[in-house]
Amino acid sequence: MARAKSDKDRKIFVLDTSVILYAHNSIMNFAEHDVVIPITVLEELDQFKKGNDTKNFEAREFIRLLDTLAKDNMIHNWTPLNGKTKGNFRVLMNPDNNINANIIFGEEKNDHKILNAALHLKQTEKNRRVILVSKDINLRLKAKSLDIHAEDYETGKIKNITELENTGKFLLDDLDPAIINRLYENHSVEAKLILGTRKRKANAYYILKSEKNSVLAYYNAEDNTMERVDKKLAYNIKPKNAEQTFALHAILNPRVKLVSIQGVAGTGKTLLALAGALEQRRDFKQIYLARPIVPLSNKDIGYLPGDIKSKLNPYMEPLWDNLKFIQNQFKESDKEYQKITELVNQEKLVIQPLAYIRGRSLSNIFFIVDEAQNLTPHEIKTIISRAGENTKIIFTGDIFQIDTPYLDSQSNGLSYLIDRVKDHPLYSHIKLEKGERSELANLANDLL
C-alpha cells in the first residue's frame, strides 16, 4: 500500500467516544495520519444510536460512515480513509497490556479500556507517536498520568476569542460634531461621511462621539447608510444602556433574520429577546422560547421523580421568570397582561426544552434559543437550517459559561455561529457588557 509519509512520520490518533459524538466525521480530519477506534468506543456508540438528540444522530452517522469505509474489509485491519495515499483506520479490540489502567485507577471503566488501547499501541508501535484525542478533559489528564500524549479535538475551534468578543459594536470618538448633529436631524446619513475608508461590516453598531456630542448608530449595508438608533420600548421593556439598545434594535429589525446576543448572567439577553418577540407577535404565527437541558441528558431525567412535566419544569423556570417579569410591567386588568396569558393558553407562545422543538417546521416563527453556548456547532446548524419563510431566530448565551462537559469557549455552537456568520447581511451580533439585574447581582459578577 502506498504511503504519503514513512511510518515513523505518520502519527496514530486514538479517538474517544466524546470526539465522535461531537462530530461524526472527525475520523476524516487527520490528514495523512492513521486513526484507531477502540472497540469500547463502538460499544458506547451502540448505546447512543437510539433517540432524537444530536448525540444520537452523530452516533448513527458514524456507524454508517464506518460501514461505508470498511466495505468488505475486516475492521480490525488497517483500511484506507481517503484513498491509498492518505491515512488509514482500524478498530482495536480489547488488548492485554503489561500496564492496565483499570488496575492503576482501581476501577474498571470504559475510559480505562480506551486508555488501555492507547497503551497497547504505544507498546506495539514503538516507532510511531500515539496521541489520544478526547473532548473529556478528565480522560486527557488520566492519559497524561500514564505518559500518553493527549489532545483536545481542535477541528472547528475558534482561535481568537478576543476578536470574537469585539464583533458587532465599535466606538468612534474623533468625529466632527456637525456630522453627529446631521445624523440627529436627518435620522440617517451616507456611511462614507462617518466611516470614511474604514472597513464596513453589515449590521454593525456604533457609538459615535465628538468633543461636544454623541449618538448611537447602525450601519445599514443594504442602503449604505448610517442610521440613528434610539431607545425604544418593547412591550414596556426599555433598554438601560447602549448595548441593550443595539440588541433590541437588532431584535426588532425586520431585515435581520438571525441575531446572537452574548453576555454574562443578568445583562438582559433573554428578557430583551422575549420582549422584542412579544412586540412583534402580530408578525409571526408563534413564538418559541427554548433552551437545552443541561447538565442532565434525557436519559438521566428518567431517574428523577414525577411525570415529564415536573421533571422538566426546573429547567424551564428561568424562561417563565422572564415572561412573568414582562407581564408584571402591567396591571392584571391591562389588555397587555391578559394578552400574554392568552398567547400561552392558545400555544401562540411556547416555552419548551429544545429537544421538543428541534424536529418541527420553523416557518413563520419567532424562535428564541436560550443558553446557546451549551449547543454544539452541529446543533446550531441544524436549528438554523430548519428556518422557513418569515422566521427569525435569536440565540442568547455566554460563551464563557459552559455547562456541557465536552464543550468550551472555543468549540461551543454560539462561538462557532458568531465566528462563521459575522458580516453576513442577514445576521447581527451584540455583546451585552453591563449587568442590569440589580446592584447585588453586579457585585457577584464583578467581585466574586
Side-chain angles (χ1 to χ4, degrees), residues 184 187 205 207 214-218 227-250 252 272 279 434 436:
Y184 263 115
H187 187 74
Y205 289 92
I207 298 176
S214 64
V215 67
L216 304 181
Y218 157 77
E227 299 177 359
R228 190 179 80 235
V229 176
D230 300 319
K231 286 187 177 181
K232 291 184 178 180
L233 285 175
Y235 222 82
N236 216 33
I237 296 297
K238 185 177 182 180
K240 295 184 176 181
N241 54 52
E243 290 78 17
Q244 284 195 356
T245 303
F246 293 151
L248 190 56
H249 182 276
L252 297 174
L272 289 170
E279 188 68 24
K434 185 179 179 183
E436 296 290 356

Side-chain angles (χ1 to χ4, degrees), residues 215-405:
V215 67
L216 304 181
Y218 157 77
Y219 174 57
N220 184 332
E222 187 174 330
D223 298 336
N224 200 23
T225 58
M226 293 289 285
E227 299 177 359
R228 190 179 80 235
V229 176
D230 300 319
K231 286 187 177 181
K232 291 184 178 180
L233 285 175
Y235 222 82
N236 216 33
I237 296 297
K238 185 177 182 180
K240 295 184 176 181
N241 54 52
E243 290 78 17
Q244 284 195 356
T245 303
F246 293 151
L248 190 56
H249 182 276
I251 292 164
L252 297 174
N253 188 346
R255 290 179 175 177
V256 175
K257 301 298 183 182
L258 180 63
V259 179
S260 61
I261 306 174
Q262 144 76 10
V264 299
T267 49
K269 306 179 296 295
T270 310
L271 181 67
L272 289 170
L274 184 52
L278 289 168
E279 188 68 24
Q280 302 171 85
R281 64 192 181 280
R282 298 179 184 88
D283 301 327
F284 299 91
K285 181 179 68 177
Q286 277 182 303
I287 299 169
Y288 283 164
L289 185 54
R291 58 171 10 195
I293 296 175
V294 176
L296 297 177
S297 66
N298 284 338
K299 180 182 177 220
D300 295 321
I301 283 174
Y303 294 99
L304 295 175
D307 59 18
I308 189 66
K309 185 176 181 180
S310 63
K311 292 175 183 180
L312 296 177
N313 271 346
Y315 297 97
M316 300 302 108
E317 202 61 41
L319 305 183
W320 288 109
D321 288 344
N322 279 283
L323 184 62
K324 291 170 187 173
F325 181 87
I326 294 172
Q327 192 172 31
N328 288 332
Q329 302 302 302
F330 306 94
K331 297 177 181 178
E332 290 188 25
S333 58
D334 290 344
K335 63 179 182 180
E336 291 88 355
Y337 186 102
Q338 295 169 1
K339 187 62 181 179
I340 291 179
T341 302
E342 180 184 322
L343 289 171
V344 173
N345 290 339
Q346 294 180 355
E347 295 190 345
K348 298 290 185 181
L349 190 157
V350 180
I351 297 180
Q352 281 190 344
L354 186 59
Y356 281 45
I357 293 176
R358 191 186 287 120
R360 299 184 182 180
S361 174
L362 298 180
S363 295
N364 202 22
I365 300 293
F366 194 106
F367 193 15
I368 302 168
V369 182
D370 194 34
E371 302 290 348
Q373 78 278 3
N374 289 319
L375 300 173
T376 66
H378 178 79
E379 286 175 307
I380 292 280
K381 179 180 178 180
T382 300
I383 292 167
I384 298 173
S385 65
R386 298 197 64 82
E389 287 297 320
N390 192 38
T391 283
K392 183 159 185 165
I393 304 178
I394 315 291
F395 289 99
T396 70
D398 179 4
I399 61 174
F400 298 106
Q401 187 63 48
I402 312 293
D403 301 310
T404 304

Side-chain angles (χ1 to χ4, degrees), residues 106-276:
E107 186 179 2
E108 186 165 332
K109 295 176 60 177
N110 284 340
D111 280 0
H112 300 159
K113 293 179 181 179
I114 293 168
L115 291 173
N116 281 338
L119 286 168
H120 175 78
L121 290 167
K122 277 197 69 175
Q123 294 171 1
T124 57
E125 301 279 355
K126 295 184 182 297
N127 294 325
R128 301 183 64 184
R129 192 178 187 196
V130 176
I131 301 170
L132 175 66
V133 184
S134 176
K135 302 294 294 178
D136 185 343
I137 190 171
N138 194 51
L139 182 58
R140 297 202 301 269
L141 290 172
K142 284 185 174 182
K144 291 172 183 177
S145 74
L146 297 174
D147 197 28
I148 301 170
H149 188 84
E151 296 178 357
D152 193 359
Y153 179 67
E154 298 288 339
T155 301
K157 270 201 165 189
I158 311 304
K159 302 302 179 185
N160 193 335
I161 289 293
T162 302
E163 181 180 322
L164 199 67
E165 285 195 278
N166 295 332
T167 300
K169 186 197 76 173
F170 304 92
L171 170 65
L172 303 180
D173 57 5
D174 56 352
L175 296 179
D176 184 341
I179 294 178
I180 293 181
N181 283 335
R182 185 172 171 183
L183 185 57
Y184 263 115
E185 294 169 1
N186 301 333
H187 187 74
S188 69
V189 299
E190 291 181 68
K192 66 180 180 181
L193 294 178
I194 293 175
L195 298 180
T197 58
R198 295 180 180 92
K199 184 178 179 181
R200 302 174 188 185
K201 297 186 177 183
N203 303 316
Y205 289 92
Y206 292 83
I207 298 176
L208 306 177
K209 291 184 176 181
S210 72
E211 293 180 351
K212 297 181 179 180
N213 49 11
S214 64
V215 67
L216 304 181
Y218 157 77
Y219 174 57
N220 184 332
E222 187 174 330
D223 298 336
N224 200 23
T225 58
M226 293 289 285
E227 299 177 359
R228 190 179 80 235
V229 176
D230 300 319
K231 286 187 177 181
K232 291 184 178 180
L233 285 175
Y235 222 82
N236 216 33
I237 296 297
K238 185 177 182 180
K240 295 184 176 181
N241 54 52
E243 290 78 17
Q244 284 195 356
T245 303
F246 293 151
L248 190 56
H249 182 276
I251 292 164
L252 297 174
N253 188 346
R255 290 179 175 177
V256 175
K257 301 298 183 182
L258 180 63
V259 179
S260 61
I261 306 174
Q262 144 76 10
V264 299
T267 49
K269 306 179 296 295
T270 310
L271 181 67
L272 289 170
L274 184 52

